[in-house]
Amino acid sequence: DVKVTQSSRYLVKRTGEKVFLECVQDMDHENMFWYRQDPGLGLRLIYFSYDVKMKEKGDIPEGYSVSREKKERFSLILESASTNQTSMYLCASSARRGQAAYTFGSGTRLTVV
Amino acid sequence: SQQGEEDPQALSIQEGENATMNCSYKTSINNLQWYRQNSGRGLVHLILIRSNEREKHSGRLRVTLDTSKKSSSLLITASRAADTASYFCATDPLTGSARQLTFGSGTQLTVLP
């Protein structure tokens, strides 16, 4: 069964820590995405990548960076975690632009204290 | 930015009833997709409807698309308690360099047994 795997379901980090959220997909998809989801705000796109070593900013990239060294892995990095980054983080992948469904991971609920 | 907006924000019905959710969007699209999210989990793709299609069925799901009104509806027939979830529409834009879907804020559906 094809899937997107996020390394942690729950994560608690301290303010100022550098945080890595890992996402791996086994479908050979070109496109990968990081969203955060907050009550009342829906899904907001942080970063996305449509090829290895390529990245593009989404709607809310501030405070985040990403890395895509291999096609199957897309990492989200919080350079210095802050309490306002407490959220549900969702990774997704898709085969190609247009007419392609996204496959999502199960999400990482990050709490920054 | 959020393009798709679902209506209503919340819907509560009895098991066996039909549930209808609506989605409006602003720009021209390649396709529109519906996703489902169980509490605390990732999103799961339900159905995709292309811009040249007007209606599509999948099991108990029926999706309509009216590109002239820039709106779509998702109908779940004979609902079950297990259908309780949040439902999101997502639009794939026709123009621009964007390669990502834009998600709405979702409709929370509660099916009472």
Side-chain angles (χ1 to χ4, degrees):
Chain A
D1 199 16
V2 293
K3 59 184 180 182
V4 175
T5 302
Q6 293 185 231
S7 53
S8 304
R9 285 281 288 129
Y10 299 94
L11 212 52
V12 180
K13 294 292 182 179
R14 295 195 178 277
T15 301
E17 277 193 76
K18 190 169 186 176
V19 181
F20 293 85
L21 303 183
E22 306 288 346
C23 175
V24 177
Q25 50 97 1
D26 63 2
M27 296 164 284
D28 201 34
H29 282 173
E30 285 82 11
N31 305 322
M32 296 189 75
F33 311 85
W34 275 107
Y35 289 87
R36 65 176 282 177
Q37 184 178 27
D38 301 286
L41 297 178
L43 275 74
R44 293 182 291 167
L45 182 65
I46 305 171
Y47 268 97
F48 62 103
S49 167
Y50 51 88
D51 201 353
V52 177
K53 296 192 186 296
M54 301 296 288
K55 60 185 179 183
E56 289 194 23
K57 294 179 180 179
D59 298 320
I60 52 164
E62 296 79 19
Y64 303 94
S65 63
V66 290
S67 172
R68 193 163 181 205
E69 296 297 317
K70 294 184 178 181
K71 189 176 186 179
E72 67 270 20
R73 185 181 295 269
F74 192 36
S75 302
L76 180 69
I77 303 157
L78 285 65
E79 297 291 343
S80 178
S82 63
T83 55
N84 63 13
Q85 292 179 309
T86 291
S87 185
M88 168 71 98
Y89 289 88
L90 294 166
C91 175
S93 70
S94 71
R96 55 185 169 85
R97 183 187 185 277
Q99 304 190 22
Y102 284 18
T103 301
F104 279 84
S106 296
T108 295
R109 185 165 295 282
L110 172 67
T111 302
V112 182
V113 298
Chain B
S1 60
Q2 296 291 334
Q3 173 170 233
E5 292 297 334
E6 290 89 343
D7 170 56
Q9 289 187 332
L11 179 62
S12 184
I13 60 173
Q14 294 293 134
E15 205 164 26
E17 294 181 340
N18 296 341
T20 300
M21 288 158 271
N22 302 299
C23 170
S24 61
Y25 58 92
K26 296 175 183 174
T27 62
S28 297
I29 60 172
N30 280 311
N31 65 73
L32 185 144
Q33 304 177 27
W34 285 91
Y35 289 79
R36 164 198 170 121
Q37 183 182 35
N38 286 6
S39 180
R41 310 296 294 185
L43 280 70
V44 175
H45 180 258
L46 294 176
I47 196 165
L48 180 154
I49 186 166
R50 294 180 172 78
S51 59
N52 61 353
E53 298 176 312
R54 291 297 165 257
E55 188 171 312
K56 202 161 184 179
H57 296 255
S58 177
R60 293 185 295 112
L61 305 180
R62 173 179 169 251
V63 170
T64 61
L65 179 64
D66 186 336
T67 53
S68 67
K69 295 181 179 179
K70 291 186 169 56
S71 67
S72 173
S73 66
L74 171 67
L75 169 67
I76 304 174
T77 60
S79 62
R80 306 165 181 168
D83 294 328
T84 294
S86 292
Y87 292 83
F88 295 86
C89 69
T91 51
D92 178 24
L94 182 63
T95 58
S97 62
R99 297 177 184 232
Q100 71 277 14
L101 299 178
T102 300
F103 289 82
S105 300
T107 292
Q108 173 62 52
L109 173 66
T110 302
V111 181
L112 303 169

